[in-house]
Amino acid sequence: MTQLDRDLQDAIGRHFASRELREQLPALHRSYREDDYAEISGFLPEGLWALAAGELEEAFDKHARRRDLIVRQSGNTPRRYTNIDRDVLATNTTVIPEVFRSPELYDLLEQVVGERVLPVPYVPEEFIAARLHQAGDVHGWHWDDYTWALVWIFKMPDELNGGSLEYIKRVPWDQDDPRTDEIVASHPVTRRHPEVGNAYLLKADTALHRVSPLREDAERMIVCYSFATEDDLRREVNHESMEALYSESHARHYA
């Protein structure tokens, strides 16, 4: 590890342990307990956010893949967007992978959710990036393979144009019979439109959720980190939907 790497690691760790973030904990814990959702304001300070944003833009310019497919495991829901897999981010950016490795982040998240937070055991799902930017782009209704998704916001469209998180909490995923349309029609949908620079934590294994379609060309650019419980590590997990969306990364690690 170079001195630059150590300096970056120290800066990220200091921020996640800072009073500024710790003062948010009571509200974050309450929000998560009530809504299975908590939005962390000022996820990283301006300088680190700007560095991460510049690296992410360059990665999208050089390495992004366009996806347009239907995912059977979530009830035949659509995915229309551009993405970057974990390996590209790990190789071509500095801040994004360092966040995932930060012990101080895990400590912060554990205080939000009230239990142990662990790295996911499936490498391609550690962190990915997604960009909705064309009219009609959507990340359709789905559940996540592991308990938590932490989504860091780099760009957001105007709320009236779409790109919002919509979710139905506490509806576990039946992969043999997801009944997605039925659940959406019969349950109240919560909508959140997080601010740029913030990150939201969602209990994504039991929240049926989507990113609402863009009505016009605009940009929604995010990085999504996945985290696991101890129970997640003991159960068998089907990664078919991730394999469809990030086939290159899956092949590199599990072929």
Side-chain angles (χ1 to χ4, degrees), residues 68-221:
D68 188 348
L69 55 105
I70 299 296
V71 177
R72 176 188 59 81
Q73 294 84 358
S74 55
N76 297 312
T77 54
R79 307 291 185 273
R80 289 191 294 273
Y81 55 79
T82 302
N83 66 14
I84 303 175
D85 69 34
R86 177 263 180 206
D87 300 329
V88 169
L89 294 171
T91 303
N92 295 277
T93 72
T94 59
V95 179
I96 290 165
E98 197 58 58
V99 166
F100 185 76
R101 292 190 287 264
S102 172
E104 292 83 1
L105 174 63
Y106 286 80
D107 181 66
L108 180 74
L109 297 178
E110 286 173 357
Q111 294 188 62
V112 173
V113 302
E115 61 180 298
R116 193 173 181 201
V117 174
L118 299 165
V120 293
Y122 179 66
V123 174
E125 207 155 350
E126 290 179 342
F127 43 89
I128 58 88
R131 176 176 175 249
L132 280 65
H133 58 106
Q134 298 176 8
D137 277 5
V138 61
H139 192 159
W141 291 104
H142 66 286
W143 294 263
D144 285 11
D145 294 332
Y146 297 98
T147 296
W148 295 293
L150 179 68
V151 178
W152 189 9
I153 306 296
F154 287 86
K155 293 184 179 181
M156 283 292 283
D158 183 275
E159 188 169 359
L160 295 176
N161 194 26
S164 297
L165 169 70
E166 298 180 334
Y167 72 98
I168 301 167
K169 64 184 180 181
R170 299 165 195 171
V171 285
W173 185 9
D174 181 346
Q175 295 191 31
D176 295 323
D177 184 20
R179 301 182 298 108
T180 305
D181 291 341
E182 178 184 330
I183 293 170
V184 172
S186 60
H187 290 72
V189 175
T190 300
R191 181 177 292 107
R192 296 283 186 267
H193 202 80
E195 295 185 16
V196 170
N198 293 356
Y200 65 82
L201 182 71
L202 180 70
K203 192 174 186 303
D205 65 330
T206 57
L208 175 59
H209 58 286
R210 74 167 184 171
V211 177
S212 61
L214 294 180
R215 294 180 174 87
E216 300 176 355
D217 290 356
E219 284 209 71
R220 186 189 199 268
M221 185 181 295

